[in-house]
Amino acid sequence: MSQEEILYTMALTRMTGISLGTALHLYRQIGSAKAVYDHRGDIGDVLPDGTSRLAEALRDWSLPLARAEQEMAFVQKHSIGCLCLNDADYPQRLATTPDAPLLLFYMGSAQLNQQRVVSIVGTRHATVYGQDLIRRFIADLQQLCPQVLIVSGLAYGVDICAHRQALAAGFDTVGVLAHGLDDLYPPRHRDTAKQMLTQGGLLTEYMSETRADKRNFVRRNRIVAGMADATILVESAAKGGGLITAHIAQDYDRSVFAFPGAVGAPYSEGCNNLIRDNGAALITSAQDFVTAMGWQTDQQLLQAKSEGIERSLFPDLSPEEQAVVQALSTAGDLQQNFLAVKTNIPIGQLTALLFQLEMKGVVRPLAGGTYHLLS
């Protein structure tokens, strides 16, 4: 993404009188932030629903551009990556959501479009029971599906436990922050965050000098939910941020799971209620989760590769596999979420199909969660 486009995208997010939803609509309809700027004087001509109020709000970019230039100096000084919505490295699962951030600031080494992405969330008051669940789940998941990105919010309790156990298991892990990258909250997690920069990363939609307030924590939950294939609620009181994230994941049509707890236990109440109300599938282990997601083929693929099994040159394909092949043949390389739309196959099932096709030598995964049809 060009530096100019990043600059204008930053500015667009700072325009007075334009909500983030409106800014996102403009970006998607017109194609880029620079194009929005170029059409600021004739927005009604290029956007059918462009109102006179919108035209007035777009008239003066001087202050937003000045703030954007200040931020550009900051990110360049600190080697921070800027991912615009149209950037290939932007989390593609998140890009499909209706309220995706226009711009993300990123420090780290992880591939944000890893083939498997799981968000683990829950209470800030994790009990020994919850910590034990996380430790066993992540250790077992590593044996079943070694290529997984673990996402959480770097908060106290479940979040930080998930990050630390992911690091211990050798997973990349990304923390989504509710403030700019010039600070870290809570400060107590600074050492873990530093380790994550080389085994994961830190991600935020907020510019520097943005403090962590309650509204920002709620907004960042949509990123935690949106960039993952599945959200797992470990422990939660009857109300809490983890539950908010789980409900957002539901709204995004992503898989949601929860660990049950003892009846009456204060930090199991939210999980138990969510399961009772069919808001989450009950899991008790990593094997439950992998089976529900259709990810069993991960281990089969690793075993096949290690044993040097020759893949079939002319495999018999199921109707669903044929649909995937047809979509790739027609459209060329496609990201997994776009494949799901074109084939009308749910993400969980599609993931399993793609691994089967990879084992058969039919498709090859590329960077950014994109798939290529082999000739």
Side-chain angles (χ1 to χ4, degrees):
M1 191 62 63
S2 71
Q3 296 299 297
E4 180 183 56
E5 177 59 20
I6 292 171
L7 180 73
Y8 281 95
T9 305
M10 286 182 185
L12 182 57
T13 67
R14 305 289 296 192
M15 296 292 291
T16 303
I18 297 179
S19 68
L20 292 179
T22 299
L24 179 61
H25 177 66
L26 285 167
Y27 190 95
R28 283 177 165 159
Q29 290 297 311
I30 300 179
S32 71
K34 181 58 166 58
V36 174
Y37 175 80
D38 290 342
H39 288 288
R40 65 193 184 281
D42 60 350
I43 196 67
D45 295 336
V46 296
L47 197 67
D49 56 354
T51 64
S52 57
R53 173 181 287 185
L54 178 60
E56 180 60 32
L58 287 172
R59 194 174 306 280
D60 186 3
W61 287 59
S62 56
L63 289 178
L65 280 170
R67 178 64 181 91
E69 288 168 357
Q70 176 187 345
E71 192 66 17
M72 284 291 286
F74 173 81
V75 299
Q76 289 168 0
K77 178 180 179 181
H78 296 280
S79 301
I80 295 170
C82 298
L83 305 176
C84 297
L85 188 64
N86 288 340
D87 196 306
D89 291 329
Y90 187 99
Q92 294 302 307
R93 296 164 178 86
L94 180 62
T96 64
T97 63
D99 51 0
L102 279 179
L103 181 68
L104 293 169
F105 300 95
Y106 179 54
M107 295 179 70
S109 58
Q111 164 58 259
L112 300 179
N113 289 298
Q114 177 71 269
Q115 196 137 31
R116 314 289 197 203
V117 184
V118 177
S119 292
I120 299 178
V121 299
T123 178
R124 283 173 163 77
H125 307 281
T127 68
V128 172
Y129 167 73
Q131 294 171 34
D132 241 14
L133 285 177
I134 296 168
R135 178 182 54 78
R136 290 201 307 270
F137 175 83
I138 289 180
D140 292 346
L141 183 64
Q142 205 282 334
Q143 296 301 309
L144 296 167
C145 298
Q147 301 299 318
V148 176
L149 175 64
I150 303 294
V151 177
S152 197
L154 206 72
Y156 291 110
V158 167
D159 287 19
I160 194 62
C161 184
H163 290 307
R164 287 170 176 164
Q165 292 301 328
L167 291 169
F171 282 133
D172 281 352
T173 182
V174 168
V176 184
L177 307 181
H179 54 77
L181 288 173
D182 55 333
D183 197 7
L184 188 80
Y185 179 85
R188 189 180 298 179
H189 297 165
R190 193 171 298 277
D191 287 346
T192 301
K194 184 176 180 180
Q195 186 178 352
M196 289 165 64
L197 293 178
T198 57
Q199 193 181 323
L202 302 176
L203 186 71
T204 184
E205 67 180 308
Y206 296 108
M207 290 187 179
S208 60
E209 301 180 12
T210 304
R211 302 281 74 85
D213 62 31
K214 185 175 181 179
R215 182 183 64 175
N216 292 355
F217 281 104
V218 174
R219 284 191 59 80
R220 73 92 189 270
N221 289 344
R222 82 191 194 286
I223 300 176
V224 174
M227 65 185 291
D229 300 304
T231 293
I232 300 174
L233 186 66
V234 177
E235 283 190 301
S236 174
K239 295 180 180 180
L243 274 174
I244 293 172
T245 306
H247 288 309
I248 294 171
Q250 276 184 292
D251 291 341
Y252 290 162
D253 199 26
R254 305 297 165 81
S255 299
V256 180
F257 299 89
F259 283 98
V263 174
Y267 293 112
S268 291
E269 191 174 357
C271 292
N272 291 344
N273 291 347
L274 195 65
I275 294 167
R276 179 199 65 199
D277 298 336
N278 296 317
L282 184 153
I283 56 171
T284 61
S285 66
Q287 185 63 65
D288 286 352
F289 172 73
V290 167
T291 300
M293 292 298 292
W295 291 357
Q296 303 95 317
T297 48
D298 283 32
Q299 194 61 38
Q300 296 169 15
L301 179 58
L302 287 172
Q303 184 177 349
K305 287 180 176 178
S306 67
E307 294 174 359
I309 295 174
E310 184 70 27
R311 296 180 181 177
S312 171
L313 294 177
F314 302 101
D316 294 324
L317 302 182
S318 69
E320 292 80 8
E321 290 171 331
Q322 289 282 9
V324 173
V325 169
Q326 181 61 38
L328 291 173
S329 177
T330 303
D333 297 348
L334 287 172
Q335 201 275 333
Q336 186 172 344
N337 285 316
F338 296 116
L339 257 178
V341 171
K342 286 186 175 294
T343 59
N344 201 29
I345 298 174
I347 283 287
Q349 182 184 352
L350 179 61
T351 299
L353 288 172
L354 287 167
F355 263 94
Q356 291 165 15
L357 288 170
E358 185 184 353
M359 290 179 71
K360 292 175 180 179
V362 177
V363 304
R364 177 164 60 91
L366 305 175
T370 297
Y371 282 84
H372 172 73
L373 182 64
L374 296 172
S375 57

